């Protein structure tokens, strides 16, 4: 299956936030670790709410986390 | 050592929801196996007995309740706190995606059952797909169990592949 056109920098942002684990991010966003894994691997595009929550956790604007690459 | 790591990585990648669906899939598979086994093992005389058929349905209900409780107990040992958590948005999407193929299976089962009933009522013995007493009822039960299996199977595959949209 082809990856989705919405790419993200979650892996890098986790690394820059003191090697935050996927589990920790998932708990802070309120989703499962598997959902974070799927978002990170560009296999699932999160809702706007979850996308904003992820950006809020890293304290960056949403466009610094997600990027549209058709 | 490497296989141990692979197993650990596999278990680690499983969510609580995946585990729940896998258990429900196995339970439904066992119930279908039991139901088909009872029908094929019964004598012709027994199959025509309405009390045997209602007894079989009662057995299926009891087995499904007992196995469901056992499954929930097992899951509570795995992770008690995860049991009360609601599904997140991706899990809800996966649960919905399992409904569509299951609906098709159920629809086909209902159509076959209606045809079987009509054929029996009209005495079209040559047109009958099955020469089985109470066949429309059995077809409906089997279609329902197959639909459940298809729903759980689809959810498992989508959850494992991460391909929610495909």
């Amino acid at each position: 299956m082809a990856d989705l056109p919405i790419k993200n920098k979650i892996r890098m942002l986790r690394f820059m936030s003191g090697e935050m684990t996927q589990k920790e991010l998932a708990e802070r966003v309120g989703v499962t670790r598997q959902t974070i894994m799927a978002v990170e691997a560009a296999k699932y595009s999160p809702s706007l709410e979850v996308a904003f929550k992820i950006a809020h956790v890293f304290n960056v604007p949403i466009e610094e986390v997600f990027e549209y690459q058709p | 050592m490497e296989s141990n790591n692979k197993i650990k990585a596999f278990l680690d990648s499983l969510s609580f929801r995946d585990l729940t669906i896998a258990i429900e899939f196995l339970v439904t598979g066992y119930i279908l196996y039991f139901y088909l086994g009872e029908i094929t093992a019964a004598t012709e005389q027994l199959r025509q007995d309405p009390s045997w058929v209602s007894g079989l349905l009662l057995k299926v209900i009891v087995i499904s309740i007992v196995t469901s409780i056992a499954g929930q107990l097992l899951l509570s040992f795995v992770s008690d706190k995860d049991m009360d958590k609601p599904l997140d948005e991706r899990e809800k999407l996966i649960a919905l995606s399992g409904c569509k193929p299951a609906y098709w299976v159920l629809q086909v089962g209902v159509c076959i059952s209606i045809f079987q009933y009509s054929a029996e009522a009209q005495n079209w013995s040559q047109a009958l797909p099955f020469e089985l007493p109470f066949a429309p009822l059995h077809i409906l039960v089997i279609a329902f169990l197959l639909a459940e299996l298809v729903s759980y199977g689809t959810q498992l595959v989508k959850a494992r592949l991460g391909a929610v949209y495909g």
Side-chain angles (χ1 to χ4, degrees):
Chain A
M1 189 218 161
D3 282 349
L4 299 169
I6 298 172
K7 307 296 171 198
N8 65 80
K9 295 175 186 159
I10 296 176
R11 175 73 193 95
M12 190 191 75
L13 288 164
R14 282 197 301 111
F15 178 76
M16 286 164 69
S17 306
E19 277 290 345
M20 183 191 285
T21 61
Q22 288 178 333
K23 192 180 174 200
E24 195 183 336
L25 177 60
E27 278 168 7
R28 289 178 68 177
V29 173
V31 295
T32 60
R33 190 173 64 83
Q34 283 70 23
T35 297
I36 294 292
M37 276 168 69
V39 173
E40 210 174 284
K43 299 226 168 174
Y44 172 69
S45 295
S47 66
L48 262 181
E49 189 186 342
V50 168
F52 272 110
K53 279 181 180 172
I54 292 171
H56 182 74
V57 168
F58 295 121
N59 207 17
V60 291
I62 194 166
E63 60 268 25
E64 277 191 32
V65 185
F66 295 97
E67 192 183 347
Y68 182 63
Q69 287 180 356
Chain B
M1 191 68 186
E2 197 177 317
S3 63
N4 278 350
N5 286 340
K6 275 184 183 171
I7 292 168
K8 194 175 176 293
F10 173 73
L11 289 175
D12 199 37
S13 71
L14 276 180
S15 73
F16 184 75
R17 176 76 184 153
D18 295 345
L19 208 58
T20 310
I21 298 169
I23 287 177
E24 282 170 347
F25 181 83
L26 289 175
V27 165
T28 312
Y30 172 73
I31 293 168
L32 181 63
Y33 171 76
F34 170 80
Y35 191 76
L36 291 174
E38 287 285 303
I39 291 172
T40 48
T43 58
E44 192 58 41
Q45 204 178 1
L46 207 55
R47 283 181 201 155
Q48 286 171 348
D49 184 1
S51 61
W52 177 80
V53 176
S54 20
L56 177 62
L57 289 175
L58 194 68
K59 268 189 209 170
V60 166
I61 292 166
V62 170
I63 289 173
S64 64
I65 291 170
V66 170
T67 46
S68 292
I69 291 171
Q72 292 296 313
L73 274 174
L74 188 74
L75 286 169
S76 71
F77 284 123
V78 174
S79 179
D80 197 19
K81 66 178 168 61
D82 285 332
M83 287 198 83
D84 298 328
K85 275 189 187 168
L87 302 182
D88 75 11
E89 55 176 45
R90 183 175 152 273
E91 289 172 329
K92 278 181 192 163
L93 207 60
I94 289 173
L96 270 177
S97 71
C99 294
K100 198 177 172 185
Y103 170 75
W104 279 106
V105 173
L106 195 58
Q107 204 174 30
V108 168
V110 169
C111 288
I112 296 172
S113 176
I114 290 170
F115 176 76
Q116 175 79 19
Y117 180 77
S118 308
E120 278 179 13
Q122 303 291 326
N123 275 329
W124 298 340
S125 55
Q126 282 158 349
L128 288 175
F130 307 99
E131 286 278 1
L132 179 69
F134 305 104
L137 174 73
H138 294 309
I139 295 167
L140 279 178
V141 174
I142 291 166
F144 171 72
L145 291 170
L146 276 177
E148 287 286 292
L149 274 181
V150 167
S151 169
Y152 294 137
T154 309
Q155 289 180 58
L156 270 179
V157 168
K158 294 212 168 187
R160 293 304 304 154
L161 295 179
V164 181
Y165 308 106

